[in-house]
Amino acid sequence: MKSIFHLDMDAFFVSVEELFDPSLRGKPVVVGGKRDQRGVVSAASYAARKYGIHSAMPLRQAAKLCSTAIFLDGNPDRYRDYSRKVRAVLDRFSPLVDMASIDEAYLDMTGTERLHGPPLRAAHRLHEAVREETGLRCSIGASRTRLVSKIASDQAKPNGVLWILPEQEAQFLAPLTASKIPGVGAATNASLKELGIVRIGDLAAVDSEWLTKRFGKWGTALAGKARGEDAGGWFHTAVGESTGAKSISHEHTFGEDTADAGKLEGTLDRLSEMVAERMRAAGVFGRTVHLKLRYQDFSTYTRARTLPEPSSADRVIGDTIRLLFRETWNHGSNVRLLGVGVSALEPSAGQGNLFDDGRWNTALQAVDALRRRFGSEKISLARGMKQKFRERTHEALPQRDEKDGGKNRS
């Protein structure tokens, strides 16, 4: 019988900050930027959530809801380090682990009973191991499917363990609101309410064919999810069957809109460095470079160009982005946001590009090591030095081919 765990770290970014500054414990803490900055909340402590603050909320709105909240920029490298520590614990419990994001994972525990005991005992052992070895709290859901386990871990928060017995999945799901289903965002939930479907039990009672006619493939997936099945794009691969990232990107929102060409191009250089560094850390090269440009009036433009050879070099990505920017930007117009991304990722590169030969790649990896040691904002190639800014704290989610596939931070 299948045994799947879903582990979700509790208020992960905030909890890591509390390890380094215990005075933050029990206080309303917001991670993501300063109270008067543009941008959104990346994470909020449970004390902050009592004021209605939640992830993706504008920072300025969060400041209005709680004047005493403590706002932190965050430390992305530190969070990645603790995510790796959590992963090391998980790998000891199962050889099949799927890191769904920086702070959540699925484990296939099937066949591990002799080593770790039955599901509930194993879940408690894992829960304790994470706390002892990282100092962080987590919540764990266990069942026969990923979908039910994910919902169970959410119901177990904070710092709890919940095992859904076999054949009890429908009974567990029925009273929960349909919005608890992964992939059901505000738009889908509103559509369901218009049809009189409020709870998962209501959804399960609807004819599957009717849902398919009403919502297409998404309706078919909804019908399966309501029954507790791993249906739809979120769960189309087995646990541990990594498909890798489809793209790597970074964005920067300016504190004040700007039409300064030097500042804009310097920002693109820095973003290109950040993307290239993450690509090298992941051991991938990319063929397609993407630009995202948002003006003062929020009109947004995206452009892309395919490279003659796959690359992970700062200069190759940066030069391509500069060309795309110069072709796209309406000179003199104020810009609110810039983004750089690379897609069509692959594990190896051709040797036709000078900047991706072995010696150059080794040199860039040495630069990456210095950045990790002294801070990314302090070590930069010449062009990127013009615009220094910290990496914004955010959760880099894998791309999902599912409608309304956002994840609420927890």
Side-chain angles (χ1 to χ4, degrees), residues 124-277:
H124 278 291
R125 289 183 63 184
L126 176 59
H127 189 266
E128 185 63 16
V130 170
R131 186 192 65 79
E132 288 183 350
E133 297 184 36
T134 69
L136 301 171
R137 300 189 307 177
C138 67
S139 297
I140 299 175
S143 75
R144 296 186 295 181
T145 68
R146 277 178 288 178
L147 177 125
V148 174
S149 295
K150 181 174 175 63
I151 296 175
S153 70
D154 183 64
Q155 293 299 108
K157 285 185 172 293
N159 198 35
V161 172
L162 181 58
W163 177 38
I164 307 305
L165 293 167
E167 309 298 338
Q168 298 299 310
E169 293 90 352
Q171 183 177 342
F172 163 67
L173 294 173
L176 303 178
T177 59
S179 60
K180 291 289 185 179
I181 295 176
V184 175
T188 299
N189 196 43
S191 296
L192 291 174
K193 284 185 176 180
E194 289 178 0
L195 300 170
I197 300 172
V198 177
R199 303 192 182 278
I200 297 178
D202 301 334
L203 187 60
V206 177
D207 181 71
S208 298
E209 292 186 5
W210 183 87
L211 283 172
T212 300
K213 290 180 181 179
R214 180 66 175 77
F215 294 100
K217 291 183 179 180
W218 178 226
T220 304
L222 279 175
K225 292 173 187 288
R227 297 189 295 267
E229 300 171 3
D230 287 338
W234 276 66
F235 306 117
H236 68 284
T237 57
V239 175
E241 184 183 330
S242 176
T243 57
K246 293 182 179 180
S247 65
I248 292 176
S249 63
H250 275 288
E251 296 180 354
H252 178 69
T253 301
F254 294 99
E256 297 293 338
D257 300 331
T258 180
D260 184 326
K263 185 174 184 178
L264 293 170
E265 293 201 2
T267 298
L268 290 172
D269 289 333
R270 181 72 187 103
L271 290 170
S272 297
E273 289 181 358
M274 294 165 71
V275 169
E277 182 181 359

Side-chain angles (χ1 to χ4, degrees), residues 10-84:
D10 293 341
F12 181 56
F13 296 164
V14 174
S15 297
V16 173
E17 293 296 337
E18 290 174 350
L19 291 178
F20 291 83
D21 184 0
S23 69
L24 296 174
R25 290 173 182 162
K27 297 179 180 178
V29 178
V30 174
V31 174
K34 300 293 190 298
R35 63 175 59 245
D36 59 347
Q37 282 184 327
R38 287 175 170 174
V40 298
V41 174
S42 296
S45 66
Y46 288 101
R49 296 180 199 190
K50 293 179 180 178
Y51 291 86
I53 298 173
H54 57 77
S55 64
M57 171 182 286
L59 292 166
R60 293 170 180 173
Q61 182 181 348
K64 292 178 181 178
L65 291 175
C66 182
S67 60
T68 60
I70 301 169
F71 285 75
L72 304 175
D73 288 329
N75 295 274
D77 289 337
R78 183 179 290 172
Y79 306 147
R80 283 190 278 264
D81 180 46
Y82 271 84
S83 181
R84 287 190 289 268

